Amino acid sequence: MSSSELPPSEVLQHVVDVHCHPTDAPSILPESMEKLDITICAMSSKPSDQPLVYNLAKSHPRKVIPCFGYHPWFSHLVCLRGDVSKEDHYRDLFCTSSAEDLEDLEAFNTLLTSLPLPIPLDNLLVDLRRNLEEFPHAMLGEVGLDRAFRIPYDYNASARKLSPFTVPIQHQITILQAQMDLAVELGRNISLHSVKAHQPTMELLANMETKHGVDRWNKISLDLHSCGFKPEMLKDIQRRYANAFLSLSTVINGRSPNHLSLLKVCDPLRILVESDYNDVDMCTEQTWGMIRTTADVKGWTIETEWNENESDSSKWGVVRRLEENWLRFKAGHHSAKKK
Ligand SMILES: [Zn+2]
């Protein structure tokens, strides 16, 4: 098989792309969904795409696992109190220094005109709960923490111009924690984004475990999506948390050799794969690229046909192993690790 060649449909049917954003594309052709062999976990990230993911999952219940949640890049759109004005909300968030910088003030006023009315966190949680309850297998995602991004003046512009503003990490944590509390309450798995936020992420996981108790925390699974952690950090997380899985993408992780080291140290029973792509026509190929890399690093064979009856797990190829990992992820109820 050449690197670009895909296996037959009987193999692809066992592949799960655990993280992609098909509703971010301008449109999804019915033919694209028709010919899709794999299962996709379709993420939402902002107010406008929650109903898009909902509709996609309703139309394609066998191929799409809906994921609802609010990404840190859009966390500034959420206010913690219902009685705050638009200007006060964004000013409190972005203008933290008491000495007002004139340039920043101009930037703030420009940005303010393009920003919508903020959504109270309580309203967002009502909506999130309704969506999650509508699909018993829906996940929370994409949610997370990000200390690298800046707010663009116009998110929808083709060339995004960035403002000098970032969202304070404490605000991001508050919104993430509220969403994760709901996931634990409803027993839902989580697709987590963490960029330049290793320390607060570790603190958050520890808080979640303490707050909800080890048993309830281990009922759900946590996927570290397009994880950019150092291998030592991943080892540490998997040592501490029996429910922590890793999924890598060619488009994000493929840029750095770090992903090979991550795969090397990752518990072989807790590897998943993803595309992180918007174009659903590309999800299969992109996910397959990471499947090949995984097989390479772990020394697993790659299936060219499907043999469901092979019971000897040492003979399983990469697709079968990843499918079993996915089933373990999906089922949750992990037994707690000794620390
Ligand atoms: Zn994503």
Side-chain angles (χ1 to χ4, degrees):
M1 227 184 317
S2 84
S3 62
S4 60
E5 208 178 307
L6 292 171
S9 160
E10 64 178 67
V11 174
L12 287 177
Q13 278 169 20
H14 298 270
V15 170
V16 182
D17 175 355
V18 302
H19 187 112
C20 59
H21 297 265
T23 62
D24 274 6
S27 63
I28 304 171
L29 295 174
E31 304 90 273
S32 299
M33 292 308 296
E34 185 62 39
K35 67 174 191 230
L36 188 71
D37 283 317
I38 66 170
T39 301
I40 57 172
C41 298
M43 298 292 141
S44 52
S45 52
K46 49 188 175 289
S48 60
D49 62 9
Q50 315 290 320
L52 302 180
V53 167
Y54 182 104
N55 291 336
L56 186 69
K58 283 283 177 196
S59 313
H60 306 278
R62 285 189 312 106
K63 295 183 181 183
V64 177
I65 293 164
C67 309
F68 300 102
Y70 296 81
H71 192 286
W73 292 358
F74 305 97
S75 55
H76 57 293
L77 305 180
V78 183
C79 55
L80 306 182
R81 294 187 355 239
D83 59 351
V84 67
S85 76
K86 173 182 166 181
E87 183 165 346
D88 283 349
H89 163 69
Y90 289 114
R91 191 185 297 281
D92 286 352
L93 213 52
F94 297 142
C95 306
T96 41
S97 74
S98 52
E100 284 206 5
D101 185 314
L102 202 59
E103 244 174 76
D104 275 4
L105 196 62
E106 262 176 49
F108 176 73
N109 287 328
T110 309
L111 181 62
L112 188 64
T113 58
S114 72
L115 290 170
L117 275 179
I119 308 164
L121 178 60
D122 287 344
N123 299 10
L124 174 152
L125 291 171
V126 168
D127 201 52
L128 184 59
R129 178 187 293 274
R130 198 186 306 121
N131 283 334
L132 289 173
E133 284 179 339
E134 181 67 26
F135 303 89
H137 63 303
M139 290 168 43
L140 177 72
E142 177 176 357
V143 295
L145 299 174
D146 192 318
R147 281 204 292 207
F149 83 106
R150 282 189 288 146
I151 308 291
Y153 285 107
D154 178 3
Y155 182 81
N156 297 313
S158 50
R160 273 179 217 155
K161 210 171 146 245
L162 298 178
S163 78
F165 304 112
T166 58
V167 179
I169 195 73
Q170 192 48 55
H171 183 77
Q172 296 187 35
I173 291 171
T174 304
I175 289 161
L176 173 60
Q177 197 158 322
Q179 296 183 83
M180 285 176 70
D181 284 347
L182 186 58
V184 174
E185 183 199 323
L186 300 176
R188 302 311 176 88
N189 301 329
I190 302 174
S191 191
L192 188 77
H193 166 114
S194 175
V195 172
K196 288 212 161 59
H198 172 247
Q199 196 49 41
T201 302
M202 290 305 282
E203 282 168 22
L204 183 87
L205 299 186
N207 286 343
M208 294 301 292
E209 194 188 56
T210 309
K211 181 173 178 186
H212 297 286
V214 182
D215 290 347
R216 290 184 76 200
W217 174 238
N218 275 314
K219 257 180 85 174
I220 68 164
S221 304
L222 179 74
D223 177 37
L224 304 167
H225 123 79
S226 284
C227 175
F229 290 168
K230 292 274 158 285
E232 277 311 312
M233 299 175 183
L234 176 70
K235 270 170 75 177
D236 186 38
I237 290 186
Q238 291 200 326
R239 208 164 26 227
R240 286 173 199 230
Y241 302 105
N243 60 352
F245 287 67
L246 170 79
S247 71
L248 299 177
S249 65
T250 311
V251 63
I252 303 290
N253 302 106
R255 295 178 201 150
S256 145
N258 186 56
H259 73 286
L260 302 176
S261 319
L262 279 173
L263 280 174
K264 225 170 262 166
V265 304
C266 185
D267 177 349
L269 301 179
R270 290 194 269 168
I271 303 174
L272 303 168
V273 279
E274 59 165 83
S275 69
D276 204 14
Y277 246 61
N278 298 350
D279 180 354
V280 76
D281 286 329
M282 295 297 291
C283 285
T284 306
E285 200 181 308
Q286 287 289 315
T287 306
W288 189 249
M290 191 47 73
I291 291 175
R292 294 183 58 93
T293 304
T294 306
D296 237 31
V297 173
K298 289 298 195 189
W300 297 337
T301 57
I302 301 174
E303 291 90 338
T304 51
E305 56 181 12
W306 196 254
N307 178 7
E308 187 70 41
N309 300 322
E310 180 55 74
S311 53
D312 179 356
S313 60
S314 70
K315 291 189 181 142
W316 288 350
V318 63
V319 177
R320 181 69 183 268
R321 288 169 191 267
L322 294 177
E323 184 185 36
E324 296 289 331
N325 290 358
W326 163 254
L327 294 173
R328 213 174 295 114
F329 176 86
K330 211 168 84 166
H333 293 89
H334 307 279
S335 40
K337 289 229 143 177
K338 292 262 177 297
K339 288 187 189 153

CSV table of all heavy atoms in Angstrom, one decimal, residues 19 21 43 142 225 276, ligand 1:
chain,number,residue,atom,x,y,z
A,19,HIS,N,-11.9,13.6,16.5
A,19,HIS,CA,-12.0,15.1,16.7
A,19,HIS,C,-11.9,15.8,15.3
A,19,HIS,O,-10.8,15.8,14.7
A,19,HIS,CB,-10.8,15.6,17.6
A,19,HIS,CG,-10.9,17.1,17.9
A,19,HIS,ND1,-11.2,17.5,19.2
A,19,HIS,CD2,-10.8,18.2,17.2
A,19,HIS,CE1,-11.2,18.8,19.2
A,19,HIS,NE2,-11.0,19.3,18.0
A,21,HIS,N,-14.0,19.1,12.7
A,21,HIS,CA,-14.9,20.3,12.7
A,21,HIS,C,-15.7,20.4,11.4
A,21,HIS,O,-15.6,21.5,10.8
A,21,HIS,CB,-14.2,21.6,13.0
A,21,HIS,CG,-13.5,21.6,14.3
A,21,HIS,ND1,-14.0,22.2,15.4
A,21,HIS,CD2,-12.3,21.2,14.7
A,21,HIS,CE1,-13.2,22.2,16.4
A,21,HIS,NE2,-12.1,21.5,16.0
A,43,MET,N,-17.1,18.2,16.4
A,43,MET,CA,-17.0,19.2,17.4
A,43,MET,C,-17.8,20.5,17.1
A,43,MET,O,-17.9,20.9,16.0
A,43,MET,CB,-15.5,19.7,17.6
A,43,MET,CG,-14.5,18.6,18.0
A,43,MET,SD,-14.9,18.0,19.7
A,43,MET,CE,-14.6,16.2,19.4
A,142,GLU,N,-15.6,21.1,21.6
A,142,GLU,CA,-14.3,21.2,22.0
A,142,GLU,C,-14.2,22.3,23.1
A,142,GLU,O,-14.6,23.4,22.9
A,142,GLU,CB,-13.4,21.6,20.8
A,142,GLU,CG,-11.9,21.8,21.2
A,142,GLU,CD,-11.1,22.1,20.0
A,142,GLU,OE1,-11.6,22.0,18.8
A,142,GLU,OE2,-9.9,22.3,20.2
A,225,HIS,N,-6.8,16.2,23.0
A,225,HIS,CA,-6.8,16.3,21.6
A,225,HIS,C,-5.7,17.1,21.0
A,225,HIS,O,-5.3,18.1,21.6
A,225,HIS,CB,-8.2,16.9,21.2
A,225,HIS,CG,-8.1,18.1,20.4
A,225,HIS,ND1,-7.9,18.1,19.0
A,225,HIS,CD2,-8.3,19.4,20.7
A,225,HIS,CE1,-7.8,19.3,18.5
A,225,HIS,NE2,-8.1,20.2,19.5
A,276,ASP,N,-8.8,16.6,13.1
A,276,ASP,CA,-8.9,18.0,13.4
A,276,ASP,C,-9.2,18.9,12.2
A,276,ASP,O,-8.9,20.0,12.1
A,276,ASP,CB,-7.7,18.6,14.1
A,276,ASP,CG,-8.0,19.8,15.0
A,276,ASP,OD1,-9.2,20.1,15.2
A,276,ASP,OD2,-7.1,20.5,15.4
B,1,ZN,ZN,-10.3,21.2,17.2
